[in-house]
Amino acid sequence: MSATPLVRVFLCLLALAAPAAADEHDHSSMTAEPLGKVHFPVSCAAAQQPAFDRAVALLHSFGYERAEAAFNAIVQAEPTCGMAYWGVAMTNFHEVWGPPSPAELDRGRAAAEKAAALSSPDARERAWIAAIGSFYIETSPRTHPERVQAYARSMASLAAQFPADSEAQIFDALAMLAVAYNSPPDKTYARQKKAAARLQTLLAQQPEHPGIAHYMIHSFDYPALAPLALDAARAYAKIAPASPHALHMPSHIFTRLGLWQDSITSNLASAETAARLVEQSHPGATAFDGLHAMDYLEYAYLQLARDDEARGIVERAAAAKSFDSPSFA
């Protein structure tokens, strides 16, 4: 009997979670900074393609500040690259977080308008730029959920128009989750399951894509669905270990399943990586990922009655002016 699609996706994720073979193939331009494998072709100068792929990989792991810095570096190198402005606009959206701050909304809108004004000669790129423009650019005030709905409609249209564009399919799945996060609770989890199904179709072709594992976790980040995301959680940290968020995100599932030591291990690694990036002055690196990891870390310590260690996290957070210490062990 052949495996069901759900079984197949878990088999792929289990393979990812296993130790890498000694003869593992090349990880292309992102080998030195493992963020997963992403290729988002653009019509800008060929010399900018590796930098663009890296920026999108950061975006898929919600490294928003670092991604914005990376897209802005492309803008500085090639001011006519409209898709670099698309990237800046995307980094200020934060699909499944809260609404952009006023400053983020202004930056995102300015970037979306600049991307549209450059008018890419490529129809696919124009569709991408129009999609993010549907979130920012308006003729009358809209609520954040209304902006999200408009963006999701544009992404659904883009994904349908360009079915071979895997990035369109992945970002469309994320748009479905954004609508779910900004809608009244639905205990059938219909949008989340639809997004997961979309991602399943791409997993076999791109098993090391950070967005696929990441958004699978978000799709199932609910008590009733969390067991379905355990393999994705264990795989994601191995796909993008240079991302503090990729190291932290599995702990959402570990927390829902009561896997407290796994959560501790996950968040120690996340906090240490976040601190290292700040210490090494990586463009766009901030203390937020370290702070978020410390929040989950304290909670896991408390569940195991490791009160002294939990208290230590609280004291460290209270004493720190910034979360730039290289050690959280």
Side-chain angles (χ1 to χ4, degrees):
M1 182 181 296
S2 62
T4 67
L6 197 56
V7 170
R8 286 197 296 271
V9 74
F10 289 156
L11 289 173
C12 290
L13 286 166
L14 279 169
L16 268 175
D23 62 347
E24 185 177 273
H25 56 275
D26 177 60
H27 279 241
S28 72
S29 62
M30 285 182 273
T31 303
E33 184 188 24
L35 296 166
K37 286 191 172 182
V38 173
H39 182 52
F40 190 128
V42 290
S43 64
C44 306
Q48 297 302 325
Q49 186 64 62
F52 195 91
D53 289 343
R54 174 182 175 273
V56 176
L58 287 166
L59 182 61
H60 277 305
S61 285
F62 293 177
Y64 291 124
E65 291 85 359
R66 294 176 68 201
E68 185 170 15
F71 283 119
N72 274 321
I74 299 171
V75 166
Q76 292 298 314
E78 188 179 348
T80 59
C81 177
M83 286 302 290
Y85 293 97
W86 165 87
V88 173
M90 285 293 294
T91 64
N92 287 283
F93 178 6
H94 310 165
E95 292 94 327
V96 297
W97 290 6
S101 68
E104 289 167 338
L105 196 60
D106 287 344
R107 288 202 305 273
R109 182 184 296 111
E113 289 174 346
K114 181 66 174 179
L118 285 170
S119 188
S120 171
D122 183 86
R124 169 182 160 274
E125 292 182 2
R126 289 197 301 273
W128 278 104
I129 291 167
I132 194 57
S134 68
F135 177 79
Y136 287 108
I137 301 171
E138 60 190 3
T139 56
S140 60
R142 295 176 295 168
T143 66
H144 178 68
E146 288 171 339
R147 293 175 183 274
V148 170
Q149 290 275 2
Y151 171 77
R153 288 192 295 270
S154 293
M155 278 307 309
S157 176
L158 191 161
Q161 185 179 359
F162 299 98
D165 185 345
S166 62
E167 288 297 309
Q169 309 309 314
I170 294 167
F171 276 107
D172 184 32
L174 179 57
M176 297 175 199
L177 297 176
V179 173
Y181 274 65
N182 288 277
S183 300
D186 170 20
K187 293 302 184 180
T188 70
Y189 306 107
R191 292 188 179 93
Q192 292 89 334
K193 291 174 181 177
K194 182 178 180 182
R198 169 69 58 80
L199 296 166
Q200 288 173 21
T201 64
L202 298 167
L203 180 64
Q205 291 75 38
Q206 300 187 71
E208 295 179 70
H209 192 292
I212 293 175
H214 186 187
Y215 308 148
M216 286 287 288
I217 296 171
H218 276 288
S219 297
F220 296 139
D221 192 13
Y222 304 88
L225 303 179
L228 299 175
L230 185 56
D231 293 328
R234 297 202 185 283
Y236 184 31
K238 296 179 182 295
I239 291 170
S243 163
H245 189 74
L247 295 170
H248 156 76
M249 190 67 204
S251 71
H252 282 234
I253 301 305
F254 299 153
T255 296
R256 295 198 183 279
L257 298 177
L259 300 172
W260 304 117
Q261 185 55 52
D262 286 330
S263 181
I264 290 168
T265 301
S266 175
N267 285 297
L268 283 172
S270 175
E272 289 169 354
T273 300
R276 191 177 307 114
L277 291 170
V278 172
E279 184 179 63
Q280 295 173 352
S281 300
H282 282 243
T286 72
F288 175 77
D289 281 313
L291 177 60
H292 193 45
M294 289 169 74
D295 178 26
Y296 272 69
L297 184 57
E298 182 211 6
Y299 187 73
Y301 280 141
L302 288 172
Q303 302 311 306
L304 294 177
R306 293 165 64 173
D307 293 354
D308 289 344
E309 289 158 297
R311 186 178 301 108
I313 294 295
V314 174
E315 292 171 351
R316 191 172 304 175
K321 294 181 179 178
S322 62
F323 297 94
D324 56 4
S325 171
S327 177
F328 286 81

